[in-house]
Amino acid sequence: MAGQAATFKAPRLWRGAFLFLGSGICLASASTNADIRFRDAAETSGIRFTHDNGMVGKRWLVETVGAGAAVLDYDGDGRWDIWLVQGGPLFDPDAERPSDRLYRNVGTPGTFRFEDVTDIAGIDATGYGMGIATGDVDGDGDTDVFLANYGANQFFENLGDGHFRDMTSTSGLGVDAEWSASASFADIDGDGRLDLYVGNYLEFDEGNHRDCTDIAGRPSYCAPDNYRPVGDRLFRNVSTDDLIRFEDVTTTAGIAAAAGPTLGIVADDYDGDGDGDFYVANDGTANLLWINDGRGRFTDEAKIAFVAFNQNGAAEAGMGVDAADYDHDCDVDLFVTHLATETNTLYVNEGGWFMDVTNQAGLGASSGPYTGFGTGWFDADNDGDLDLFSANGAVSPVAMQRDAGADYPLKQKNQVWENDGRGRYREIDAGPALAHVEVSRGAAFGDLDDDGDVDIVVTNNQGPARILENRSEGGHWIGIELAPDPRQVIIGATIELVDSHCTSERVATDGSYASAHDPRIRFGLGAFNAPRRIRVRWPSGTTAVYGPLPVDRYHRLEPIE
């Protein structure tokens, strides 16, 4: 059923503490046991995009890492568009450089149809792209875009009329030509403006490139420990009414105290104190958990929280990351994708510290053969629990493909794990769209056809983009979109189903790998079809209850007055 939007204002207002009702319905037990199925809708929907990594046979490490994608409503028409990040030639100043592509959603509810509007929208994104972050940085109600590149980053201001303006030179975000991979928007100091964390990877260029081999002496891409990591950066939003402007607060905020080769970033409130923290997945070194003191100064507590390493005390090759309360116990858990042979890692929050429960949750053996990048928790079949997706692709040659003479022998299949409603996962065959064996990297999540289930945009390094259209026969659902409020940010708000045990989600666009997502919140309801009440806790601490709201549709909730 296609979603229908409705607008509601809060009939009642609470201020202060976040209220919790613990004696209601537990949605995880309301499973419809429907099959989870996806089909590839890219080509038939008008998306014809192929990523170019610039490879010329020299095995430059940079060529195998990109790139991401974003699901965003750039023109405010209520339909969700797609931004695909492009690479291009490397180390050739005279080569013609391709641009990222923006595809406008021109479909009707329940259908997929996109048209390329890159040039019309004024986008000239010809840097060597890696990641993308989205958010309303100037509080004018539309979505602005930051691009994390190998080289100078870029920032595009959304003008609100379907066009973008490149504000890189004046924003303060494009000064340093580093290898940035991912980025995350969050309000770090509670001033109602979105700040930006930029994750940097390695010091690499044509001059320090090394020729590496595998254990058998055959040519291979180098491991990241052959190069020095580049420290991440934190930018505070100091914009005025007339100018978007950020200042680098990396040192004063404490972020310069630790560094690693960052690939994945996700913001959330990991210690439950009401402000935004950052979890950073590093490639082969200790992960970082930056805990905010409430004033925008951070301390790395990953080691004492047991999320720096896996349960064996080993650093892993962190790629993609997501944060959610997957076990419905009212705190935020973490999932990180890794290199083949390491397994992906599930960290369950035990109230301030975390436990690696990867094997207990059934995720160890099935993820071990694959190298995961983009990832996310999402309720694929709307049964009330969170399933998992991983976009996979190797970073060193797969023996059978190399021996068969493949030009780019890094291809692997992607994976979907179904949650059994009790926090255990099993890998499933999720349909023909998962049959592609490619070098997948980014994964952006969103309901592209407004039918109430989550679709996935998957990017492939040196390959075509895919749209995984969700065709699961699932349960009932309710979707929430927060209308813009010039007084406070939307990102970081918490939306809760009233009378449901620990069923809440944070409004966000970050996480996964190098990608940005549809910020609307969807709750799967299984067999329950009665109207539901929704509680919204805004980043300012103000709380409001809306409803009861009808199910099987989206509701646009106006800010409190």
Side-chain angles (χ1 to χ4, degrees):
M1 177 180 177
Q4 303 177 34
T7 301
F8 290 84
K9 292 188 177 181
R12 190 174 180 185
L13 174 65
W14 287 265
R15 294 186 184 274
F18 180 44
L19 302 179
F20 166 65
L21 297 177
S23 58
I25 300 165
C26 181
L27 292 179
S29 64
S31 174
T32 59
N33 296 316
D35 287 337
I36 296 174
R37 307 289 290 175
F38 291 87
R39 79 173 185 93
D40 182 11
E43 186 170 349
T44 58
S45 67
I47 302 281
R48 295 178 178 85
F49 175 92
T50 299
H51 178 260
D52 176 9
N53 70 8
M55 59 188 290
V56 293
K58 295 187 177 182
R59 296 181 183 84
W60 291 314
L61 181 60
V62 67
E63 72 191 37
T64 192
V65 179
V71 172
L72 72 165
D73 181 8
Y74 86 96
D75 54 359
D77 67 352
R79 293 177 292 191
W80 294 84
D81 314 299
I82 297 173
W83 185 307
L84 295 171
V85 178
Q86 184 58 283
L90 282 161
F91 311 126
D92 183 354
D94 298 323
E96 182 178 354
R97 304 204 56 81
S99 174
D100 294 3
R101 308 310 296 178
L102 175 63
Y103 293 88
R104 181 170 180 257
N105 189 335
V106 295
T108 57
T111 67
F112 282 76
R113 190 66 190 167
F114 296 87
E115 62 180 14
D116 190 329
V117 294
T118 308
D119 298 332
I120 297 172
I123 297 167
D124 183 18
T126 57
Y128 191 94
M130 289 285 159
I132 183 169
T134 60
D136 181 6
V137 305
D138 51 357
D140 62 354
D142 49 42
T143 302
D144 308 299
V145 173
F146 173 79
L147 298 177
N149 293 331
Y150 172 73
N153 297 325
Q154 286 182 282
F155 173 76
F156 287 91
E157 177 191 6
N158 192 327
L159 300 179
D161 59 358
H163 297 84
F164 288 89
R165 176 169 56 193
D166 188 339
M167 297 291 287
T168 305
S169 61
T170 58
S171 67
L173 295 176
V175 177
D176 298 286
E178 297 169 332
W179 183 355
S180 301
S182 293
S184 170
F185 280 113
D187 181 3
I188 64 171
D189 49 9
D191 66 353
R193 293 179 291 194
L194 287 177
D195 310 296
L196 181 67
Y197 189 110
V198 179
N200 289 324
Y201 192 41
L202 299 170
E203 291 183 3
F204 173 86
D205 57 35
E206 187 177 17
N208 71 356
H209 166 70
R210 300 182 182 183
D211 293 319
C212 294
T213 59
D214 62 17
I215 58 174
R218 293 168 295 202
S220 180
Y221 287 99
C222 290
D225 59 7
N226 284 275
Y227 305 95
R228 294 177 56 187
V230 178
D232 297 342
R233 292 185 181 269
L234 183 63
F235 295 90
R236 182 170 178 265
N237 190 337
V238 294
S239 301
T240 64
D241 291 340
D242 300 322
L243 180 67
I244 295 174
R245 183 71 184 170
F246 290 80
E247 64 178 9
D248 190 332
V249 295
T250 305
T251 299
T252 57
I255 299 299
T262 297
L263 288 178
I265 309 164
V266 64
D268 213 308
D269 182 8
Y270 297 106
D271 56 354
D273 65 353
D275 52 42
D277 313 304
F278 294 101
Y279 183 71
V280 176
N282 286 325
D283 189 2
T285 66
N287 299 322
L288 304 173
L289 179 61
W290 292 114
I291 297 298
N292 192 341
D293 68 358
R295 298 180 298 275
R297 184 165 179 83
F298 295 83
T299 303
D300 175 26
E301 298 186 7
K303 292 183 176 66
I304 62 175
F306 300 106
V307 290
F309 310 109
N310 66 9
Q311 63 184 340
N312 298 319
E316 298 179 293
M319 315 291 194
V321 61
D322 199 16
D325 182 9
Y326 91 99
D327 53 358
H328 293 283
D329 68 347
C330 294
D331 52 28
V332 182
D333 310 300
L334 286 162
F335 183 73
V336 188
T337 55
H338 293 122
L339 194 69
T341 73
E342 290 182 339
T343 83
N344 298 332
T345 301
L346 172 57
Y347 297 102
V348 63
N349 193 329
E350 296 290 353
W353 61 279
F354 293 76
M355 179 182 295
D356 180 346
V357 297
T358 305
N359 292 323
Q360 297 93 311
L363 291 164
S366 56
S367 66
Y370 304 97
T371 294
F373 278 83
T375 191
W377 266 303
F378 70 117
D379 189 351
D381 50 0
N382 286 329
D383 64 351
D385 53 46
L386 294 178
D387 309 298
L388 274 167
F389 173 82
S390 177
N392 299 330
V395 292
S396 57
V398 177
M400 291 182 62
Q401 297 174 29
R402 181 197 57 223
D403 294 345
D407 291 335
Y408 200 44
L410 306 179
K411 298 177 180 179
Q412 296 180 329
K413 71 168 188 173
N414 298 326
Q415 294 174 283
V416 173
W417 290 273
E418 183 179 18
N419 190 329
D420 69 359
R422 297 179 297 275
R424 278 192 60 84
Y425 289 91
R426 65 181 181 94
E427 185 183 357
I428 61 171
D429 176 1
L434 275 296
H436 297 296
V437 180
E438 294 170 310
V439 189
S440 296
R441 293 293 183 252
F445 297 80
D447 185 1
L448 295 170
D449 53 356
D450 275 340
D451 64 351
D453 52 34
V454 179
D455 311 298
I456 309 173
V457 178
V458 177
T459 62
N460 290 299
N461 185 281
Q462 195 70 2
R466 305 286 182 185
I467 298 180
L468 307 189
E469 178 189 358
N470 193 333
R471 302 296 296 270
S472 306
E473 293 294 330
H476 296 284
W477 58 278
I478 188 168
I480 304 299
E481 178 181 6
L482 298 184
D485 183 353
R487 299 165 295 178
Q488 58 187 336
V489 295
I490 303 302
I491 287 177
T494 301
I495 298 177
E496 178 196 11
L497 271 180
V498 176
D499 299 324
S500 295
H501 181 64
C502 292
T503 304
S504 66
E505 292 192 32
R506 174 181 175 270
V507 177
T509 61
D510 63 350
S512 186
Y513 171 72
S515 297
H517 318 287
D518 173 358
R520 295 176 297 176
I521 300 298
R522 286 157 293 273
F523 294 107
L525 304 175
F528 299 105
N529 61 0
R532 303 306 301 268
R533 289 194 301 153
I534 299 294
R535 178 178 289 114
V536 178
R537 184 184 188 274
W538 300 83
S540 64
T542 302
T543 304
V545 172
Y546 301 75
L549 309 178
V551 304
D552 294 331
R553 66 185 64 187
Y554 284 99
H555 302 278
R556 184 179 172 90
L557 304 184
E558 294 287 347
I560 59 176
E561 297 178 355

